[in-house]
Amino acid sequence: MPDGMNVDYDGLIPNNVDLASDARVKKALETWHPGYIDWWKDMGPDGFQEALVYLRTAVSVDPKGWAKFDYVRMPEYKWGILLAPRVEGRLIGFGSHKGEPAWQEIPGEYRGMLRRLMVIQGDTEPASVEQQRHLGKTAPSLYDMRNLFQVNVEEGRHLWAMVYLLQKYLGKDGREEAEDLLRRRSGDADTPRMLGAFNETTPDWVSFFMFTFFTDRDGKMQLEALAQSGFDPLSRTCRFMLTEEAHHMFVGETGVQRIIERTCEAMKAAGIEDPGDTARIRALGVVDLPALQRKVNLHFSLTLDLFGSEVSTNAANAYNSGVKGRYREDKLDDDHRLLDSTYPVLRCRDGAIVQEAVPALSALNMRLRDDYVADCQGGVNRWNKVMEKAGIAFRLTLPHVAFNRRIGEFSAIEADPEGRVMDAGAWAANRDRWLPTGDDNLYVTGLMRPVDTAGAYASWIAPPKVGIDNKPGHFEYVKLWDA
Amino acid sequence: MSRIDFQTEPGRYRHWRLRFDGAVAELLMDVDPAAGLFEGYELKLNSYDLGVDIELSDAIQRLRFEHPEVGAVVLRSAKENVFCAGANIRMLGKATHGHKVNFCKFTNETRCSIEDATEHSGQTWICAVNGTAAGGGYELAVSCDSILLIDDRRSSVSLPETPLLAVLPGTGGLTRITDKRRVRRDRADVFCSTEEGVRGKRAVEWRLVDEVVPPSAWEARIRERADEAAARSDRPRAATGVALTPLTRRFTDDGVAYGFVTIACDRAAGRATVTVAAPAGPPPATLEAARSAGFWPLQAARELDDAILHLRANEPALGLLVLRTEGAAAQVLAHDAFLEAHQGDWFIREVRLYWKRLLKRIDMTSRSLVALVEPGSCFAGTLAELAFAADRSVMLDGARAGDNRPPAALALSPLNFGAYPMANGLTRLRARFWGEPDSVGAAQARIGAAIEAGEADALGLVTMVFDETDWDDEVRIMLEERASFSPDALTGMEANLRFVGPETMETRIFGRLTAWQNWIFQRANAVGETGALKLYGTGVQPSYDKARV
Ligand SMILES: [Fe+2]
Ligand SMILES: [Fe+2]
């Protein structure tokens, strides 16, 4: 087994970076640790700190077989520093340093840029834990509750991952940033998280699944781009985070899929053909598909804002300097410098949406967003298969990228989900057709009743096809009482 | 290229909004990305170009003249998470050197006028930085009397020019942080080389801002600060403002005609003659009657200001400005007396301060200035400052044959002895007589008198005196010679000679802007094909010639 693949659980902080022989960083992390635990107790899952949760913990960073499952109290979870194994002789794969050996230390000239990228990435990790902290109380099953907590502890570990990089490679500034990551709070008026979507609430489980499908997927795209970085420790960190992130995508995608399955099943059993027959469908205690579409519209558009401006100098700088690549840069077949190529970008010109060829370097946010949309579309297609199989005449679609935007080209205009530009009055008049209504929210909130009997599921969601760690259907994923 | 127009009014603003609430006004920056002055760049993130600053300058003027009730102005951004990203870099990358220099000069004059309003007009400017304030955006904040920074753990102030753009925080940023905000110089060094800037407590500790305020207390604290400042103001709450009505201007191929000011261009000779006319009659009988845009000192100042700005921006090849006046010196002096008698009035104070700033603008204009003092001219009091601002003044001795007007005369008023200090803090006469302080007193003793050529020469008030026999030839040769010199050498020489004596923050700002920034703007490291300004936004790193100069 290559060096650094096994995790050292002997010290306070599990790691595969030989923390034991790095006194400075060890001390910094041990100083930061109590604050983290305080943060987890204050802002982590509300009401379940004593519950025994069947969680996976990494024991090795070997992509096959890295996890071990067991019951854990969340505050005792083994958060640690895990990096994908070092690839000997790794070269920078893109930008002006292409072909040079990957950096093992931060080059001084890119210090600010790397710091900014790591802080922004780091800030999203605890943010989602904060956003989701009340959901345990309305979990539709112990299985789902366990998945929520698994996502939560892993987001906590992702925070550790960024904090390690900040503390190891950015000295005093890095330690200050690490402290600030614990001080900001999602949605707080005075100390909000850095990005808009991470200050929205996640009020119910439908939102949670949408969030993990759409917003965690933005995290995945960002991690994929950073995994290409010429700064090797960042690349290795992100590569390992991606293995965890895959589970978050799974939770989101199967969560929505199970809602759809349940709705289709209930509609068929009741002989309802029209997906828009809201009153009758809701009387069955399931989520009607048009309401689901409105949730899709909301979460997709909020998440697109996370990609920043379509045409961006920062993105260009980060690429050219070898700090942040494209999605799957190593699989792309071009010169990996992009100095002379262009990329088509949708822009807003005199109130109309037009396509323009923009220098490819400046269009990297747009490119990553396009890759993201394609990735989302795959999941949406799988959802639609469920309805097709069930014979329900409804299909979910992703709204146009100009719909409901606050950042970038389209923040200045209003467009409907098909991308037709309209004035603010017309948009407002139709808003309730496109985005979750007060009624939708009331109805969905009403469905959110906890189900905490092992093997039982709420009325609005189908059971999963297979259990976690291949456990049987009645398995008690969370032991609430006998802690 | 179309003419850059310095006249605007709030109804036409594309980038700013004014809000009024009693003694507090808010000026909101909301730059329209699509409304740049030129093609080829977008004004993203509240970045600015000259067009944005022209509106700002207009807003400052209107706040002073049209709003006597306003004692505090809150400058803030209407955009979320960004205060102002500074001068637009793509615009700078594309602009000619001349445009960049003019742009920086004008923006600096505008920032100085904010400082002047706080210091002298009883209108205290408070900056509410709600979002990132970078580069020129932070400089704008620093031109205010105090800076509040929202403490949302992301908003920061920065001067990232050196690491990011290979130029200086050049509109006075460097000088203002050390001289005005008194930031310790080693901290300033750290601050100016840190791209992401400084936020929160450290920003206060380093004196980069005055106060950080949590978002929940933000609006209330701004209002509190503004109310405190407004309460200290001596401006009359109940007074009615004076509307700055549109100037009457007629542009032709050969010049511009205003009410009291004309510009006549002689392109072949590379010069423009700027003539200012005296008021047609005596000053108004009462202060009340004076309060209008038609009050001669105000109208003439607005016209001359516009004329100078027009020449700077649109007529770069006219390197020589011939300054003339015409009309009754007695009426000019009568108006000066009126300005002196009512100097305690808010409006008259504004008019005097306006002339002060206008004359500074003329001092700062990189054109050769020659004043011709001829029969029929009225270089008296306030208008005599034009002769003192000039690099040379030439006076005709006696009368011309067939001209029955009295011989040319200069006249002085009390306003020449304190109302219009230059950037270096000196009156133009004190600067003129820097090596002979007694000459100031000698001139002062002649306040009100018609000082003809012989005496003017003896008092040292003019450079040269010629009688009719020599006048035409001497003047022609002098102007032709001037126009033949290197414009760069002239600009440098004139700027050196105009500002004698002490340095002030203002002279340091303009001097260093001229010396350092304009040098850097010429260097390949900034503007060459692989320079930072040229490559900004492409993602490609600049490559520098590392040799120190
Ligand atoms: Fe994550
Ligand atoms: Fe995640």
Side-chain angles (χ1 to χ4, degrees):
Chain A
M1 199 175 280
D3 187 34
M5 209 170 259
N6 284 323
V7 180
D8 169 12
Y9 278 102
D10 294 342
L12 179 62
I13 297 159
N15 70 91
N16 70 335
V17 294
D18 196 13
L19 206 53
S21 60
D22 190 344
R24 186 182 63 86
V25 179
K26 186 160 171 282
K27 178 166 171 263
L29 279 168
E30 287 176 359
T31 311
W32 184 80
H33 181 255
Y36 173 81
I37 296 297
D38 287 348
W39 167 80
W40 180 270
K41 287 182 175 162
D42 282 355
M43 297 309 295
D46 185 20
F48 296 89
Q49 302 282 350
E50 290 302 311
L52 286 167
V53 188
Y54 192 69
L55 293 176
R56 67 173 180 185
T57 306
V59 288
S60 141
V61 291
D62 180 352
K64 308 166 195 77
W66 55 275
K68 125 179 170 291
F69 287 85
D70 204 354
Y71 286 104
V72 184
R73 282 190 188 81
M74 284 184 279
E76 290 154 21
Y77 186 76
K78 293 284 190 186
W79 284 290
I81 313 300
L82 306 172
L83 274 63
R86 184 161 164 182
V87 176
E88 281 314 314
R90 182 172 173 258
L91 302 177
I92 299 171
F94 58 92
S96 59
H97 298 286
K98 181 175 180 292
E100 297 171 20
W103 308 302
Q104 299 306 325
E105 295 290 336
I106 287 187
E109 54 191 313
Y110 305 138
R111 190 176 196 276
M113 188 187 291
L114 277 159
R115 167 176 157 174
R116 194 164 53 240
L117 287 170
M118 294 190 290
V119 168
I120 290 176
Q121 181 63 40
D123 195 62
T124 64
E125 311 290 357
S128 61
V129 177
E130 292 163 359
Q131 289 171 293
Q132 296 160 10
R133 68 185 302 251
H134 299 297
L135 291 176
K137 290 175 197 151
T138 54
S141 71
L142 293 180
Y143 166 86
D144 289 292
M145 185 190 284
R146 176 262 163 214
N147 283 350
L148 166 71
F149 294 157
Q150 182 72 55
V151 170
N152 290 164
V153 294
E154 283 175 356
E155 299 303 4
R157 207 204 63 73
H158 292 174
L159 171 61
W160 277 83
M162 288 299 138
V163 163
Y164 167 70
L165 293 178
L166 287 168
Q167 294 188 335
K168 175 148 177 80
Y169 296 100
L170 286 164
K172 182 161 172 280
D173 284 353
R175 290 196 292 279
E176 281 173 17
E177 294 286 8
E179 287 300 324
D180 275 356
L181 287 170
L182 293 178
R183 289 200 196 108
R184 284 185 284 265
R185 290 283 182 273
S186 175
D188 190 287
D190 283 348
T191 57
R193 292 290 168 187
M194 297 172 92
L195 301 175
F198 290 91
N199 287 305
E200 304 279 334
T201 55
T202 308
D204 58 67
W205 278 79
V206 183
S207 304
F208 168 67
F209 292 132
M210 290 290 176
F211 185 95
T212 42
F213 181 84
F214 286 111
T215 308
D216 274 64
R217 190 176 307 275
D218 159 69
K220 169 184 140 179
M221 302 307 289
Q222 302 299 337
L223 292 175
E224 289 274 12
L226 294 174
Q228 304 288 339
S229 182
F231 177 44
D232 203 40
L234 176 62
S235 163
R236 292 170 56 205
T237 304
C238 292
R239 271 181 271 150
F240 186 73
M241 289 164 76
L242 280 165
T243 61
E244 293 164 314
E245 210 61 63
H247 177 66
H248 309 179
M249 308 287 104
F250 163 85
V251 170
E253 182 173 332
T254 57
V256 176
Q257 184 168 329
R258 288 160 53 217
I259 296 174
I260 297 169
E261 282 168 10
R262 181 69 196 106
T263 302
C264 290
E265 182 189 54
M267 282 170 69
K268 275 169 70 184
I272 303 171
E273 290 200 340
D274 176 8
D277 197 348
T278 310
R280 284 179 65 207
I281 294 169
R282 288 189 177 181
L284 304 172
V286 297
V287 182
D288 53 300
L289 300 171
L292 215 52
Q293 175 69 58
R294 289 190 285 274
K295 288 269 197 191
V296 167
N297 293 348
L298 176 69
H299 287 270
F300 181 70
S301 56
L302 282 176
T303 305
L304 291 185
D305 279 345
L306 295 173
F307 287 85
S309 291
E310 286 80 350
V311 179
S312 159
T313 299
N314 284 343
N317 288 341
Y319 185 88
N320 194 258
S321 50
V323 162
K324 183 179 177 186
R326 288 170 291 175
Y327 180 57
R328 301 197 172 151
E329 182 77 42
D330 48 352
K331 306 278 189 304
L332 296 172
D333 186 22
D334 60 19
D335 72 352
H336 302 280
R337 291 184 193 270
L338 309 182
L339 294 177
D340 305 312
S341 49
T342 61
Y343 188 83
V345 172
L346 288 182
R347 310 204 67 176
C348 185
R349 288 277 177 259
D350 301 321
I353 299 169
V354 297
Q355 196 178 63
E356 273 182 17
V358 165
L361 270 180
S362 311
L364 286 163
N365 283 346
M366 178 74 183
R367 177 164 187 146
L368 192 62
R369 196 186 76 192
D370 284 346
D371 290 328
Y372 167 80
V373 173
D375 207 45
C376 287
Q377 188 63 52
V380 172
N381 292 346
R382 288 186 286 277
W383 293 341
N384 284 335
K385 280 271 177 337
V386 176
M387 291 174 261
E388 198 183 318
K389 254 201 211 139
I392 300 292
F394 193 88
R395 299 293 177 266
L396 291 168
T397 54
L398 295 175
H400 193 275
V401 292
F403 172 73
N404 192 37
R405 298 295 305 282
R406 296 286 167 271
I407 288 175
E409 288 289 320
F410 307 117
S411 58
I413 55 163
E414 298 293 359
D416 72 5
E418 275 76 48
R420 285 181 294 251
V421 179
M422 51 179 51
D423 62 58
W427 194 90
N430 283 290
R431 183 218 168 271
D432 280 1
R433 288 173 48 210
W434 304 325
L435 289 171
T437 63
D439 240 28
D440 289 350
N441 293 336
L442 270 179
Y443 174 68
V444 172
T445 308
L447 290 179
M448 296 299 126
R449 304 241 178 74
V451 176
D452 52 20
T453 311
Y457 287 82
S459 67
W460 52 271
I461 191 162
K465 298 214 169 43
V466 274
I468 293 294
D469 195 26
N470 287 314
K471 292 296 174 198
H474 60 270
F475 184 72
E476 192 176 11
Y477 287 101
V478 183
K479 292 186 182 177
L480 294 172
W481 319 118
D482 58 357
Chain B
M1 197 175 73
S2 64
R3 177 168 56 83
I4 296 173
D5 192 350
F6 288 83
Q7 293 303 308
T8 183
E9 34 100 12
R12 283 159 51 203
Y13 289 177
R14 301 290 301 269
H15 309 297
W16 299 89
R17 291 199 301 276
L18 279 161
R19 275 202 306 236
F20 296 93
D21 183 4
V24 175
E26 284 193 326
L27 180 59
L28 292 104
M29 188 175 202
D30 193 5
V31 176
D32 178 351
L37 200 53
F38 305 110
E39 295 287 301
Y41 55 87
E42 282 173 84
L43 297 173
K44 288 187 193 167
L45 301 172
N46 264 358
S47 62
Y48 58 82
D49 66 356
L50 182 59
V52 176
D53 237 68
I54 288 172
E55 291 183 4
L56 172 61
S57 173
D58 183 74
I60 298 166
Q61 286 289 79
R62 287 179 196 278
L63 281 162
R64 302 174 77 136
F65 281 99
E66 298 185 349
H67 296 279
E69 81 283 5
V70 169
V73 181
V74 176
L75 177 64
R76 59 193 301 179
S77 159
K79 296 209 188 321
E80 251 178 78
N81 297 331
V82 59
F83 173 74
C84 168
N88 186 278
I89 305 309
R90 283 167 196 261
M91 176 277 294
L92 284 179
K94 284 175 192 294
T96 63
H97 179 69
H99 182 78
K100 283 201 282 283
V101 172
N102 249 320
F103 166 72
C104 289
K105 190 180 285 182
F106 182 77
T107 55
N108 219 328
E109 288 168 333
T110 305
R111 278 137 197 77
C112 286
S113 77
I114 289 178
E115 285 165 340
D116 185 61
T118 295
E119 200 178 338
H120 299 292
S121 272
Q123 224 165 40
T124 301
W125 283 62
I126 295 165
C127 192
V129 179
N130 52 317
T132 314
Y138 176 57
E139 292 179 33
L140 187 56
V142 172
S143 65
C144 294
D145 184 56
S146 55
I147 306 174
L148 304 187
L149 173 65
I150 194 163
D151 191 11
D152 56 6
R153 293 178 194 271
R154 51 186 167 180
S155 294
S156 64
V157 297
S158 64
L159 291 178
E161 282 88 342
T162 300
L164 205 58
L165 306 168
V167 298
L168 300 181
T171 320
L174 291 174
T175 305
R176 278 195 175 88
I177 57 169
T178 50
D179 285 35
K180 181 178 181 183
R181 300 212 53 99
R182 310 275 173 116
V183 175
R184 217 173 67 198
R185 79 171 178 95
D186 53 345
R187 284 176 168 172
D189 181 280
V190 174
F191 175 61
C192 296
S193 17
T194 309
E195 207 183 303
E196 66 267 30
V198 171
R199 58 182 148 88
K201 270 204 323 272
R202 177 179 294 170
V204 179
E205 244 172 64
W206 288 18
R207 291 192 285 276
L208 294 165
V209 306
D210 294 281
E211 189 178 337
V212 286
V213 183
S216 54
W218 180 241
E219 292 301 328
R221 185 64 188 130
I222 294 169
R223 187 64 206 209
E224 196 178 2
R225 276 258 187 180
D227 285 341
E228 282 166 17
R232 289 194 305 271
S233 173
D234 62 355
R235 292 170 73 89
R237 297 274 173 108
T240 312
V242 174
L244 299 178
T245 50
L247 295 180
T248 309
R249 299 177 296 176
R250 208 177 63 254
F251 288 89
T252 61
D253 286 349
D254 303 326
V256 191
Y258 302 79
F260 293 111
V261 175
T262 56
I263 300 173
C265 304
D266 181 345
R267 292 180 206 287
R271 69 174 179 251
T273 301
V274 179
T275 306
V276 183
T286 65
L287 199 44
E288 279 318 306
R291 295 189 207 283
S292 92
F295 181 49
W296 175 81
L298 176 56
Q299 186 182 337
R302 291 180 69 206
E303 292 175 355
L304 184 55
D305 204 16
D306 188 68
I308 295 292
L309 290 169
H310 166 68
L311 287 166
R312 276 188 188 179
N314 301 311
E315 298 285 1
L318 304 180
L320 175 57
L321 304 186
V322 177
L323 303 176
R324 296 183 65 254
T325 55
E326 60 187 27
Q331 302 301 4
V332 178
L333 289 176
H335 278 78
D336 270 14
F338 190 89
L339 293 178
E340 194 64 2
H342 298 291
Q343 57 179 300
D345 176 69
W346 75 270
F347 170 67
I348 298 300
R349 179 170 74 184
E350 285 308 329
V351 173
R352 291 167 58 126
L353 290 170
Y354 190 12
W355 268 98
K356 178 189 74 176
R357 295 193 303 280
L358 163 61
L359 289 162
K360 283 186 188 180
R361 194 178 324 266
I362 294 172
D363 294 334
M364 217 57 81
T365 297
S366 57
R367 306 292 164 93
S368 298
L369 304 173
V370 174
L372 297 184
V373 187
E374 297 166 86
S377 72
C378 53
F379 286 97
T382 297
L383 291 188
E385 290 291 315
L386 295 176
F388 304 146
D391 299 299
R392 296 183 187 186
S393 51
V394 194
M395 191 162 182
L396 194 136
D397 189 1
R400 284 195 178 96
D403 184 349
N404 53 12
R405 289 178 300 186
L410 278 171
L412 300 171
S413 83
L415 275 71
N416 299 113
F417 297 89
Y420 308 128
M422 300 173 65
N424 57 14
L426 305 178
T427 63
R428 280 175 195 75
L429 284 174
R430 273 199 68 201
R432 182 178 190 83
F433 297 127
W434 191 237
E436 40 182 308
D438 293 350
S439 299
V440 179
Q444 202 158 9
R446 299 292 288 146
I447 284 178
I451 304 168
E452 293 187 10
E455 189 186 4
D457 196 21
L459 286 169
L461 295 174
V462 292
T463 315
M464 284 174 264
V465 169
F466 301 114
D467 62 18
E468 194 201 1
T469 338
D470 296 329
W471 176 265
D472 285 350
D473 262 357
E474 289 287 352
V475 170
R476 179 183 60 78
I477 289 166
M478 179 184 70
L479 298 181
E480 284 178 7
E481 180 195 53
R482 193 77 173 185
S484 74
F485 292 153
S486 152
D488 301 338
L490 284 175
T491 294
M493 180 186 88
E494 291 154 3
N496 267 279
L497 301 180
R498 284 178 197 174
F499 301 97
V500 301
E503 289 274 10
T504 61
M505 183 176 83
E506 211 172 311
T507 59
R508 278 192 293 276
I509 286 171
F510 283 104
R512 291 165 184 184
L513 167 67
T514 314
W516 292 116
Q517 183 77 310
N518 293 350
W519 172 66
I520 292 169
F521 274 162
Q522 300 272 37
R523 297 274 299 161
N525 287 338
V527 294
E529 284 312 309
T530 60
L533 279 184
K534 273 275 156 37
L535 290 178
Y536 181 78
T538 64
V540 181
Q541 266 80 29
S543 60
Y544 297 136
D545 171 357
K546 291 288 173 68
R548 285 283 185 128
V549 177

